[in-house]
Amino acid sequence: KRVAILISGGGSNMVALADSMTGDHPARPVLVLSNVAEAGGIAKAEARGIDADVVDHRPFGRDRAAFEAALNDRLAEALPDILCLAGFMRILTPAFTEAWAGRMLNIHPSLLPKYPGLHTHDRALAAGDAEAGCTVHEVTSDLDQGPILGQARVPVLPGDDADQLAARVLTAEHQLYPRVLRRFAEGNRSPLYLLEGGEAPNTSGR
Ligand code: GRF
C-alpha cells in the first residue's frame, strides 16, 4: 500500500508512521505533503529519503476547493492508496473527504467523541478529567467524527498543565498511529484500544 502523509508542522507523527513502515509492513510512505512551507517535518521526511512537497493554502485565500484541487493534483503524482493526516491543520471540505472516503485517517489529541476541535488539553484539564488521550479515526465530512480505529489513554496527573499533558498524549500518539495504520493497511478495521504502555484486552471477540 502507498501512503501519503499530510502535515502542517513538526511532523513527529509523520516520523513515527514513516519509521514504522519497514520489513514485512504492507505499506510504504510515498509522499509527505505540507501546507506550510517552513514546516519542520519536511526536512525530517527528506532526511528519510521520502519525497516531500508543499502546497501552500495561503495563495488560495478562502477558496478551499481550489486549494484542495492543488492538493489532489500533487497527490495524483504519488498515487497513494491511503492518506494519513498527521498534525495537518486545515479543515477539508466534504468534496475532498468524500473523494478519499474509506482511505483517509486522522489522529486527534483527545478521546473522541470528547473535545473535537482545538485546545483539547486545556478543555480536559478545565473539566477535571482523570484521563486524556488520542484517537485515530477515518476522516468524514463531520470534523473529528469519523469511525474510530483506535484510542490510547493516558492519566492526567496532579499539577499537569496543558503542555505537560500534550507531551504525554503526543507520546501515546506515536504508539497508536503506527499500529492503527498497519491494521488498516492489512484491511483490519476493528478498533484498537491502548492503555498506558500496553494493549487493552480484546473484548470484541476478534
Ligand atoms: C500535535 O498537537 C498532535 O497532538 C496533533 O498534531 C500536533 C502536531 O503533531 N496530532 P506533529 O508533531 O506535527 O505530528
Side-chain angles (χ1 to χ4, degrees):
K1 297 283 185 187
R2 301 170 59 86
V3 174
I5 306 171
L6 276 64
I7 67 169
S8 298
S12 71
N13 274 289
M14 176 276 294
V15 167
L17 291 172
D19 289 354
S20 76
M21 287 184 261
T22 59
D24 68 345
H25 195 299
R28 287 290 183 276
V30 294
L31 178 65
V32 170
L33 195 48
S34 175
N35 66 298
V36 175
E38 54 280 349
I42 294 168
K44 294 172 190 168
E46 289 170 340
R48 285 164 173 75
I50 303 167
D51 211 9
D53 211 342
V54 176
V55 177
D56 190 332
H57 63 280
R58 291 173 304 181
F60 300 97
R62 297 161 45 83
D63 189 347
R64 289 185 186 276
F67 167 58
E68 292 171 357
L71 281 181
N72 275 322
D73 286 349
R74 182 61 185 82
L75 288 167
E77 294 174 35
L79 291 175
D81 303 297
I82 299 169
L83 296 192
C84 288
L85 306 183
F88 185 69
M89 301 304 281
R90 302 299 296 171
I91 291 177
L92 297 163
T93 69
F96 189 93
T97 57
E98 278 147 28
W100 289 98
R103 299 187 293 156
M104 181 160 53
L105 308 182
N106 181 47
I107 189 156
H108 179 76
S110 79
L111 295 171
L112 292 173
K114 291 178 83 168
Y115 316 131
L118 297 174
H119 311 301
T120 60
H121 308 303
D122 291 300
R123 293 154 71 190
L125 290 170
D129 293 348
E131 60 178 12
C134 51
T135 303
V136 177
H137 62 94
E138 290 192 46
V139 176
T140 65
S141 49
D142 300 321
L143 181 67
D144 296 334
Q145 308 280 311
I148 289 177
L149 294 171
Q151 287 193 319
R153 293 171 182 279
V154 300
V156 177
L157 299 177
D160 267 346
D161 64 15
D163 289 343
Q164 289 167 308
L165 183 52
R168 191 172 311 121
V169 171
L170 192 60
T171 300
E173 292 179 37
H174 300 160
Q175 298 299 315
L176 179 68
Y177 211 171
R179 293 179 66 167
V180 170
L181 173 60
R182 176 155 191 161
R183 290 157 72 96
F184 191 81
E186 291 167 345
N188 179 354
R189 299 287 190 274
S190 65
L192 173 69
Y193 293 99
L194 299 183
L195 297 175
E196 179 86 21
E199 189 164 333
N202 180 331
T203 55
S204 62
R206 291 173 70 152

